[in-house]
Amino acid sequence: MSLYGGIEGGGTKFVCAVGTAPDDVRAEVRFNTTTPEETLGRAIAFFREQHAQEPLNAIGIACFGPIDPHPTSPTFGHVTTTPKPGWAHTDVAGAVHQALGLPVGMDTDVNVAALGEQRWGAAQGLDTFIYLTVGTGIGGGGMANGELLHGLMHPEMGHLRVPHDWLADPYPGCCPYHGDCLEGLACGPAIEERWQTRGEHLPPDHPAWPLEAHYLALGLVNAILLFSPQRIVIGGGVMSQAQLLPRIHVEVPKLLNGYLQASAVNEEISDYIVPPALDARAGVLGAIALAERVHQGRSPAVGMCR
Ligand code: ZN
């Protein structure tokens, strides 16, 4: 059985694992994200040791962004303009490839988590779907026709513009670029700033939640109309509020107002907008799934031509 390495490279921590599937993770290590040299050095040391025990076929990386996901670009696999100190223009995939001599694929954290859900989780069998995470920020990825979503760069669904009723909600939003984009109105810090207390301290019947569901539903309606996804997987810290998803299930059909004649977005909406099945494991498992795709020649990698 082919063995793969996966890296979930987050802004605060790195998780590295070796395995073939969720029930076959052979080794795993996690550590804080510090400087690129130290952090990538620890990841490389882990995989070098694992590779010596049993050869790995490829490595997949889910990386905080923004990143360059274009295989023909000279900066493919680099973190680009991140404000994270020391990390701007770091060649993450190249460093891992050069140290280990293995093909290395890399994509955004949300695209890789989407891939994990498609391979083993809530989007199995689908080729066109959206994965959204609502937490400290709002990020979105997914697939269209079996390919991870890229284009000019990669989707930034958190920054969709949504209608903002200033009378009903005078909060200006917290996005440093747009103020009241979707993320600016609906991410965890926006809830905290608007209501002057953290979301998890607000009771389930607090007016924060219908408002939150409304904004998220507006974003999802835009995504539904734009991508025509077969399903939407939505997770993240804010979505752990159990009252939110049922409210979104009511709000989305209301906003669509019967325009889409599909049972999925009407009577079967609770099977259409679903929580992730892999939860916090989606990133590192998705990275293993990305390595598998690289090995199968279905995703580009540093060190391989597509
Ligand atoms: Zn924004």
Side-chain angles (χ1 to χ4, degrees):
M1 191 174 281
S2 294
L3 196 58
Y4 304 107
I7 301 177
E8 180 187 347
T12 56
K13 73 170 195 306
F14 263 55
V15 183
C16 303
V18 162
T20 64
D23 58 0
D24 182 32
V25 174
R26 316 262 178 99
E28 185 170 314
V29 66
R30 52 184 63 215
F31 42 85
N32 290 336
T33 308
T34 58
T35 62
E37 295 73 24
E38 184 182 21
T39 311
L40 296 175
R42 290 184 77 168
I44 287 162
F46 167 76
F47 288 115
R48 191 172 272 145
E49 191 184 318
Q50 295 297 319
H51 188 53
Q53 288 170 26
E54 190 175 347
L56 305 175
N57 288 284
I59 289 180
I61 306 177
C63 195
F64 69 89
I67 67 158
D68 182 347
H70 294 297
T72 55
S73 161
T75 53
F76 172 51
H78 291 219
V79 167
T80 57
T81 57
T82 178
K84 190 167 176 57
W87 282 83
H89 310 292
T90 295
D91 183 6
V92 174
V96 175
H97 166 67
Q98 278 154 30
L100 300 169
L102 292 167
V104 177
M106 183 162 116
D107 214 313
T108 60
D109 42 10
V110 278
N111 258 353
V112 174
L115 179 62
E117 290 291 337
Q118 196 252 3
R119 182 70 177 83
W120 294 297
Q124 285 180 66
L126 306 181
D127 64 19
T128 301
F129 68 95
I130 297 293
Y131 173 93
L132 209 71
T133 175
V134 186
T136 312
I138 298 182
M143 273 188 169
N145 303 318
E147 295 289 331
L148 290 166
L149 284 171
H150 299 131
L152 177 67
M153 296 167 77
H154 44 73
E156 289 283 4
M157 291 178 224
H159 299 268
L160 285 167
R161 308 311 298 254
V162 293
H164 179 190
D165 180 344
W166 286 87
L167 280 176
D169 175 26
Y171 175 65
C174 66
C175 174
Y177 288 87
H178 316 114
D180 61 351
C181 64
L182 178 61
E183 178 173 295
L185 290 171
C187 68
I191 297 172
E192 183 173 349
E193 200 170 59
R194 180 188 289 112
W195 303 104
Q196 294 295 302
T197 184
R198 291 180 61 83
E200 57 262 40
H201 299 146
L202 295 168
D205 59 353
H206 192 277
W209 303 118
L211 185 69
E212 178 72 10
H214 177 66
Y215 286 136
L216 293 176
L218 284 167
L220 294 183
V221 161
N222 286 338
I224 291 166
L225 296 171
L226 187 61
F227 293 105
S228 200
Q230 296 153 327
R231 189 173 294 152
I232 292 174
V233 181
I234 181 167
V238 171
M239 289 307 299
S240 61
Q241 294 289 330
Q243 69 275 17
L244 261 183
L245 193 55
R247 287 186 183 277
I248 290 170
H249 288 152
V250 172
E251 193 73 8
V252 166
K254 210 192 286 180
L255 289 167
L256 287 169
N257 198 27
Y259 183 69
L260 297 181
Q261 299 285 312
S263 56
V265 291
N266 293 294
E267 57 268 26
E268 291 165 24
I269 190 82
S270 56
D271 295 324
Y272 181 72
I273 303 173
V274 302
L278 304 179
D279 294 316
R281 304 286 291 157
V284 70
L285 292 172
I288 288 174
L290 180 62
E292 180 186 55
R293 273 175 80 90
V294 161
H295 182 57
Q296 293 166 346
R298 294 162 65 208
S299 276
V302 172
M304 284 172 92
C305 292
R306 198 169 194 194

